[in-house]
Structure formats: C-alpha cells, structure tokens
Amino acid sequence: MIDLHQETAALAAWPTHERLRALQRIIPRARVDDALAQTGRDRTHCRRLPGWFMVWFMIALGLFSRDAYRQIFRWLQVFRPGGIPGRSTLCEARQRLGVAPLLAAQVVALLGRPETPGAFYRGMRTMAIDGFVLNVADTPANERAFGRPGSGRAPGAFPQVRVLALCETGSHVMWKWLIKSLRSAEITMAPAPLRFLQPDMLLLWDRHFLTHATTAPWRASGPSAGTHHLQSRLHPDPTLARWLLPRQVVSERR
C-alpha cells in the first residue's frame, strides 16, 4: 500500500525551504500552543528550548529524516535564532516533552479532490486498509510492550510494532491508524480504524478481512453514519459472490 522508504526518499528530495514552509502552514504555532496547554506541557518552561519549538523539532525529525539532530536544529533557526545545543541536550528536551502533545490526529486530513488521480471512483472516495511493522527503540520497555520478532536461532535486532492504517489512495495520506504489539493480528485490529469510514467511501481491502464482513465493525455512528462500499479480491466462487453482493460488497475476481 505505502512504501515508507520510497515516501521518505521523495520527501528528502524537497528543497529545505519548502519543507519548512509546509511545517509552518500545516502545523501553525497557535495549534501547537493549544496542544501544549491541553496536555499541561506548557508549564515546563525552558527559555532555550521552549515546548512549541520542541514540538516542531520532533516533527522535523521526520521532515529531515536523513539529517543529524544538530543539523535539523539549524534548519529550524529561521523560527528561533540562537546557539545550537548539543545532541544530548536535544535528546533530554525531547524526553521531557513526551508524547502527549503530538498533533497527528488533529492535523491529518483527507486531501483528495475529484481531479486528484486515483482519489475517486464513480463519485466515491477510494480508501485502502493494510498493515505493516516498524522498528522501535531497543529498550526493555518496548520489548515488553510490543514484542520482538525472531526465529528458532535468534531474536530480532529491534522490538517492532504493528500498524494498521486507513489511507486515502489518491494522496497517500495515512488518515487513521492503530498501533499494537507485534503479536496482534491485522484482522482483530480492523474495527478501530474502520469505524471512521464515512458515507460514499469505497474501501479497498484484502480478502482476509472479509471474516469480519458479517459483523460490520466498520459501521460508523452519528453524523458520519451512512452507506459504505467495499471492494475485495476473491476467488471466482459464484456461491460466495451471491452471498456477498446483497451486502453491497463489490468483488473483483482474479
């Protein structure tokens, strides 16, 4: 669904000033200040590395994923001029900030428009769901919480998390997601992101998710409730197709 290495390489090719302008436009200072106030992180005052600047710094770690900490700080000096602290100082400030003020759920939005290639099909916004795993820091806490891959010979080098994401196909925006331990299965994780489906969306998913089709865990409630359409790859079994089609599942035979 999404090749993270390819997406990272494409982002790294952007000019520095464009990435900085995108950071300031998509995640404005006022929204950062609100998040800090709501989580109580605005009370930890550090004149050299204030909370709002560290939030931007943490986001910039992804925007400039190929650069070192101090170089990323240099890029951000257009927002706050001053001396460049050591790497250990930046790491400690990042740990003090914690994860509470992160803004992804507040700022990530659907971007596809009718003219966006691959964003719509017959008036329906095309979405996709799939899972992947990511390495996390090699700490005892992460190993206990998420697990570590391995074989009969040796454990894996890093603990890993399993991510199940609901994405917009036209823009590749990872709209909603769930992060669980490596021991979790994608099928059991599916109800959480699927409840965000909106009316007139066309969801593209693998056929193994169809085990949950009868329970309809993706049905939204409240203002987003409505008809959702699904497209899955199935074996050419006419009995199965007759059972699914009345439930508004569109099957694509292989």
Side-chain angles (χ1 to χ4, degrees):
M1 180 178 62
I2 291 181
D3 188 328
L4 292 179
H5 296 287
Q6 183 178 354
E7 297 287 334
T8 301
L11 181 61
W14 285 23
T16 297
H17 69 277
E18 288 190 12
R19 282 180 273 180
L20 293 174
R21 188 163 60 245
L23 172 63
Q24 191 176 28
R25 176 177 58 85
I26 298 173
I27 308 177
R29 168 77 182 274
R31 183 163 289 185
V32 174
D33 289 339
D34 288 343
L36 290 170
Q38 291 173 9
T39 56
R41 296 296 178 176
D42 58 332
R43 305 187 191 101
T44 57
H45 179 70
C46 177
R47 183 177 302 177
R48 192 177 185 188
L49 296 173
W52 67 267
F53 186 86
M54 287 308 301
V55 170
W56 272 356
F57 176 79
M58 291 177 67
I59 298 170
L61 294 177
L63 291 175
F64 301 94
S65 58
R66 296 184 177 182
D67 295 336
Y69 270 36
R70 300 190 74 200
Q71 180 58 56
I72 295 173
F73 190 93
R74 290 188 182 94
W75 298 135
L76 296 178
Q77 282 186 306
V78 296
F79 303 125
R80 184 177 177 82
I84 302 173
R87 187 181 188 280
S88 60
T89 302
L90 292 171
C91 290
E92 292 173 2
R94 181 184 177 187
Q95 291 176 351
R96 285 196 303 270
L97 182 66
V99 298
L102 295 186
L103 294 160
Q106 289 86 354
V107 301
V108 175
L110 298 171
L111 300 178
R113 299 183 178 182
E115 62 272 17
T116 304
F120 287 84
Y121 175 75
R122 295 187 179 182
M124 297 177 289
R125 187 186 299 273
T126 55
M127 308 292 290
I129 187 168
D130 207 349
F132 54 93
V133 296
L134 293 174
N135 292 338
V136 293
D138 188 6
T139 65
N142 280 340
E143 184 172 3
R144 287 193 302 270
F146 303 116
R148 185 187 297 266
S151 62
R153 295 184 177 181
F158 294 94
Q160 290 183 336
V161 298
R162 188 177 304 281
V163 183
L164 187 69
L166 180 63
C167 302
E168 185 180 45
T169 60
S171 65
H172 291 191
V173 167
M174 201 166 78
W175 186 44
K176 304 295 180 182
W177 59 90
L178 181 66
I179 300 175
K180 288 279 191 177
S181 74
L182 191 62
R183 297 177 290 272
S184 301
E186 293 179 8
I187 291 178
T188 60
M189 295 168 63
L194 291 181
R195 73 176 186 270
F196 293 100
L197 284 175
Q198 297 177 358
D200 300 323
M201 281 183 171
L202 174 62
L203 175 66
L204 314 176
W205 60 359
D206 294 333
R207 64 172 179 257
H208 70 275
F209 284 108
L210 284 173
T211 56
H212 285 252
T214 56
T215 57
W218 57 85
R219 288 181 182 168
S221 59
S224 63
T227 301
H228 310 120
H229 304 270
L230 312 175
Q231 183 179 29
S232 301
R233 289 185 177 271
L234 303 175
H235 287 294
D237 185 342
T239 303
L240 182 60
R242 284 197 300 269
W243 181 83
L244 288 173
L245 287 176
R247 290 159 175 78
Q248 296 182 313
V249 178
V250 181
S251 63
E252 178 184 333
R253 295 185 177 183
R254 288 204 283 192

